[in-house]
Every structure is written in structure tokens, then in C-alpha cells.
Amino acid sequence: MEKAILVTVDLGIRQEWAAEERSSELRELATSAGAKVVREIIANVKALNPAYFIGSGKVEEIAAICASEGAKVVIFNNDLSGTQQKNIEEIVKTKTIDRTQLILDIFARRAHSNEGKLQVELAQLLYMMPRLTGKGVELSRLGGGIGTRGPGEQKLEVDRRRIRSKIDHVRHSLEDLRKRRSMMRKKRDQFSLLSVAIIGYTNVGKSTLINALTDSSVVTANKLFATLDPTVRTFIMPNKQKILFVDTVGFLNELPHHLIEAFKATLEEVVEADLLLHLIDSSHPKALAQSDAVYKVLEEIGAKDKTILTALNKIDKVSDPVVIERMKSHFGDSLAISALTRQGLDELVARISKETSRFIVTANFVLPAADARTLSIIYANGLVKTQEYRGESLYIEAELPIRVKESIDRILAQ
Ligand SMILES: Nc1nc2c(ncn2[C@@H]2O[C@H](COP(=O)(O)OP(=O)(O)OP(=O)(O)O)[C@@H](O)[C@H]2O)c(=O)[nH]1
Ligand SMILES: [Mg+2]
């Protein structure tokens, strides 16, 4: 494991996340990237320094700590410019990266699908682009380890022009994938089940919940950003209606903007869902601030006006009932659950069922008796109540999503 030193700047301004809290989240990120944090430094500075970010004196102190701890990487909790990064590295004589690079590194490790890999590559290229001024950053970090998994490493002759054309190329490939996906979604939406996207801050238990509800085995881990690619699972509600649960990438406070841009396609799953289930880790000291961060991302991706159901997870870890009561009153209409012990899951399912029932109608169709295709669409997407052949026609009554009913009406009218 790579030994890491973390540096968080405290400018002495009151912020929603105090320096210690930001440092503690950076520690979780670094640990998720496989580092062993040997020291967390909070640097109290009055003003930021354009050349060294925190002033060269402070950097000298860090250099000494680095040497005594044998650290292999220094991770700054803020974005550094190319010049700052290079200047700091010269003094500390140790690889120095910033928070965004660390997050990009975690994403690069977790990306498995073709689309996920392209999305990460795009975010990395966008991050690099403005840092290519002059001699700026050394892109060919051959040492390996955290913060070195860049798209630049194999393509050493990196210059602006090459990066720009690479960006164009990746954007193009992503656009192709996005089109294909949107076509698939259109097809799917026309005749498809209602979908509930489970959203929330990273590590709140989204994948654990989808597993508990649908008996599946999405990877869960006490790590930030364990899930990157959206996973869809079918679920049969007590009233026999089928719905889809979508598990997707977690959110983070100050998620690098490039990542949001690059992950647009993945985040579309959230935008397109019928209902959002916002999961909160009620045992986390920053639960409320995490929830605020989630709402910020929702706003950025244009999903904040969707119907959102809030569930307070991990209540098995909270011993003081007052904490839960306080959160319940803060979030208004919310449910307390534990995805781990399954406490409260029946109530949650009942609520989801109630919320989604708004999108479901009872419809009566008269199909030509030989129309097996439409019949199978009805069976796949709805709940058939009665079915009766009268002569050459099939009379059928079914409960199904409104948009499926409308699509079938259109087919039958043709
Ligand atoms: N005690 C307790 N732990 C839980 C509960 N739900 C999830 N966890 C734990 O929380 C950690 C994160 O769970 P995940 O399901 O991977 O979280 P996630 O929201 O999918 O995280 P990302 O995919 O990284 O965004 C794991 O160690 C889970 O075992 C719960 O209700 N109670
Ligand atoms: Mg997950």
C-alpha cells in the first residue's frame, strides 16, 4: 500500500464542511484508492499562493514530514494548477496529486464497461487540458500507483493538439454510445416497467438495498464509489406489479465537474426514472450535508423536480432514537430502514408501491385474437385481470403503466 499524506487547507472561513470533516472524507477517498494514510495535515493559511498554493514555508514542512514518514504520495484536498503541482513536487520530492486526480483514479479503477471507461477517460482528458500550459505538468508519470492511471501514460507525446483531438474522439464515441442507449431506452420506455432509481451519497448503502430488495448480488463495499455502472433489477411488488430498480454511481460533495459532464449518459438513468429513492446514511455525522450535496447534483443534471422518496438507511447503527426522529422531521415524509437487517423494508416497498401506483392505470383492450405480439407486451409490462375470447377478438383488462397503455392504444389504432 502506498503511504499517503493528506493536506487540507483551512482558510479560517466558516464552511458547511469544516476542514477536519473535509480531511476525513479525503481519508476515505484515499483509502478507497488503496492508500495508507500516514498523516493528515490541516494547513491554516490566510491567503492562497499562486506558486505554491499554501506558501513555500508550509510546503517545506510537508517535505520534512514526507521524508520522516516515508510517504510516496501527497494528496491535496483542493485543485492545484499545473504549475503549483510541479512547484510543490520539486520541494517535497514526492508525487503530489489533488482531490480531483484522486477521485479520477478511483473511477479509473472501478470502470468496467466500455462506456464507463470512456467516461473516465474523457474526465481525465478534460482535467488535463488546462494543465498543459508551458512545461506544466509531467504527464508521463511512469512510477505507477495512485494518481498515475492517466490516459496520457501510454501516449507520451502529449501536447494540446493531441489531447484535443483525443477529447473529440472520446466525445464522439460516447455520443455514439449515448445515441444507441437512448434508442434502446426509447424502445424500452414505450413498453416498459416503471423504474425507481436508487440515488444518494456514495457509500450510503444503495447497492446493499437493491440486493436486499431483489435478491441479487451487486458488489457492495465499505469504499467510496464501489458502483460505477448502472445496474437494473426487476422487482415484483406485493400487488404483483413488476417494477425496475436502478442502482447507480454515488454522489459526492464537490464532485469534480468534469466527472458529471463525462457521466451524463450514466446519470440519464436517474433523470429518466419514474421515481427517485433518495437513500441517506443516517449513521453518518455529515448525513445532512451529504444530502445537500446530492440535491446539488440533482439540480445540475436537471432531476431535482422529480418525485423523490427519502429513506434513512443504516438505522441499525444509530443507537440514539432522537437522531432518527430529528432526521425524520428534517426530511419530512421519510422512512427509517436498514438494508442490512431488512428492518423497515416492507414499509418501504409499500410506499414505493403507493408512489408508483400513480403511474398505473386499468385499461381495457380489444385485440385481434391472433395478435400474439401485443398480448405479450401486455403480459410483460402489466398485470392481466381478465381475458376473454369473443369470436375473433380478445377482450382483455389489465393494469399497466400509463405510457405502455398509450403505446398499445396507438398500435391498435393503426
Ligand atoms: N450497518 C449497516 N451497514 C450498511 C447498511 N447498508 C449498507 N451498509 C454498509 O455500507 C457500506 C456501503 O454499502 P454499499 O451498498 O456498497 O453502498 P453504495 O451506496 O452502493 O456505495 P457506492 O456504490 O460506493 O456509492 C457496506 O459496507 C455495507 O455493508 C445498513 O443498513 N446498516
Ligand atoms: Mg454501490
Side-chain angles (χ1 to χ4, degrees):
M1 272 211 283
E2 221 171 342
K3 284 191 185 172
I5 288 181
L6 311 182
V7 183
T8 299
V9 168
D10 188 354
L11 285 168
I13 317 161
R14 247 190 75 80
Q15 285 176 304
E16 191 177 13
W17 298 70
E20 287 74 17
E21 293 165 344
R22 280 183 285 127
S23 181
S24 136
E25 183 161 276
L26 187 67
R27 184 185 348 113
E28 283 180 49
L29 285 166
T31 311
S32 298
K36 181 176 189 312
V37 175
V38 291
R39 199 65 102 66
E40 287 179 53
I41 300 168
I42 308 271
N44 296 298
V45 294
K46 295 214 167 47
L48 295 175
N49 177 312
Y52 292 97
F53 190 63
I54 53 172
S56 56
K58 277 264 178 328
V59 179
E60 301 278 2
E61 284 172 32
I62 294 170
I65 297 172
C66 249
S68 71
E69 297 280 0
K72 290 283 171 287
V73 58
V74 178
I75 308 174
F76 274 73
N77 213 346
N78 302 69
D79 273 357
L80 300 173
S81 73
T83 316
Q84 288 166 341
Q85 187 173 17
K86 181 171 146 282
N87 291 345
I88 296 170
E89 275 185 344
E90 263 166 23
I91 298 183
V92 298
K93 309 221 163 18
T94 304
K95 179 176 65 180
T96 301
I97 64 170
D98 62 21
R99 181 175 181 267
T100 298
Q101 272 173 297
L102 176 63
I103 294 171
L104 288 173
D105 189 273
I106 298 174
F107 271 65
R109 282 162 193 255
R110 307 274 200 275
H112 297 299
S113 72
N114 192 15
E115 186 166 31
K117 285 182 185 152
L118 281 169
Q119 292 180 128
V120 173
E121 187 173 0
L122 177 60
Q124 286 174 320
L125 290 165
L126 290 171
Y127 172 85
M128 266 179 197
M129 196 60 191
R131 288 172 173 74
L132 280 177
T133 44
K135 281 181 255 134
V137 204
E138 178 92 52
L139 287 165
S140 53
R141 296 164 167 276
L142 285 171
I146 297 163
T148 60
R149 243 164 304 263
E153 53 191 324
Q154 308 100 2
K155 308 147 195 113
L156 291 180
E157 330 153 49
V158 186
D159 57 33
R160 272 175 177 263
R161 200 168 40 80
R162 284 201 50 171
I163 291 213
R164 201 173 281 142
S165 81
K166 186 85 194 143
I167 288 178
D168 286 346
H169 180 76
V170 176
R171 277 211 169 111
H172 200 77
S173 314
L174 274 173
E175 186 53 27
D176 279 352
L177 279 173
R178 203 187 64 79
K179 273 194 196 130
R180 214 175 312 156
R181 192 201 264 267
S182 127
M183 240 159 59
M184 269 164 49
R185 186 166 25 228
K186 245 196 207 135
K187 240 194 218 154
R188 185 182 94 188
D189 277 358
Q190 225 177 346
F191 304 116
S192 93
L193 303 171
L194 296 172
S195 62
V196 178
I198 306 177
I199 57 157
Y201 210 77
T202 180
N203 212 40
V204 295
K206 300 178 294 298
S207 302
T208 308
L209 179 64
I210 203 171
N211 287 345
L213 289 170
T214 66
D215 262 336
S216 44
S217 51
V218 179
V219 174
T220 65
N222 194 12
K223 280 182 182 167
L224 306 192
F225 301 118
T227 308
L228 216 58
D229 297 317
T231 313
V232 181
R233 292 282 180 272
T234 314
F235 176 70
I236 302 173
M237 290 194 284
N239 66 4
K240 302 286 185 291
Q241 278 286 351
K242 272 190 269 177
I243 58 167
L244 298 175
F245 275 114
V246 184
D247 177 24
T248 187
V249 59
F251 297 170
L252 188 77
N253 182 40
E254 285 171 33
L255 198 59
H257 186 79
H258 295 329
L259 268 178
I260 298 185
E261 190 198 325
F263 273 75
K264 275 261 151 68
T266 293
L267 293 168
E268 264 176 28
E269 293 290 342
V270 172
V271 181
E272 307 273 323
D274 294 293
L275 178 71
L276 303 186
L277 175 57
H278 180 194
L279 206 58
I280 287 167
D281 177 355
S282 61
S283 71
H284 200 286
K286 295 299 286 177
L288 300 189
Q290 291 188 341
S291 157
D292 290 346
V294 167
Y295 273 88
K296 263 185 217 145
V297 178
L298 287 181
E299 182 158 13
E300 196 157 345
I301 61 175
K304 84 171 188 343
D305 295 326
K306 301 192 78 79
T307 310
I308 302 175
L309 184 62
T310 306
L312 310 170
N313 191 33
K314 305 198 190 180
I315 52 164
D316 58 293
K317 272 174 91 179
V318 184
S319 47
D320 186 357
V322 175
V323 173
I324 301 295
E325 283 316 312
R326 207 177 289 146
M327 271 193 209
K328 270 193 168 165
S329 69
H330 176 88
F331 287 106
D333 197 14
S334 60
L335 292 120
I337 64 162
S338 166
L340 202 67
T341 66
R342 311 185 72 100
Q343 192 184 338
L345 292 197
D346 290 345
E347 289 91 328
L348 177 66
V349 167
R351 261 312 283 283
I352 292 171
S353 170
K354 186 171 156 237
E355 291 292 336
T356 50
S357 67
R358 294 188 289 122
F359 303 107
I360 295 192
V361 287
T362 303
N364 289 284
F365 304 107
V366 185
L367 313 183
D371 188 355
R373 186 169 172 266
T374 310
L375 187 62
S376 77
I377 291 172
I378 296 173
Y379 268 93
N381 298 288
L383 201 60
V384 174
K385 293 288 182 189
T386 60
Q387 174 181 339
E388 189 191 336
Y389 286 95
R390 291 187 213 153
E392 291 304 299
S393 300
L394 175 60
Y395 287 75
I396 194 161
E397 184 184 61
E399 286 175 0
L400 23 77
I402 296 169
R403 59 168 179 264
V404 177
K405 174 195 180 285
E406 288 169 350
S407 304
I408 295 174
D409 283 342
R410 273 196 298 277
I411 294 178
L412 294 176
Q414 274 166 14

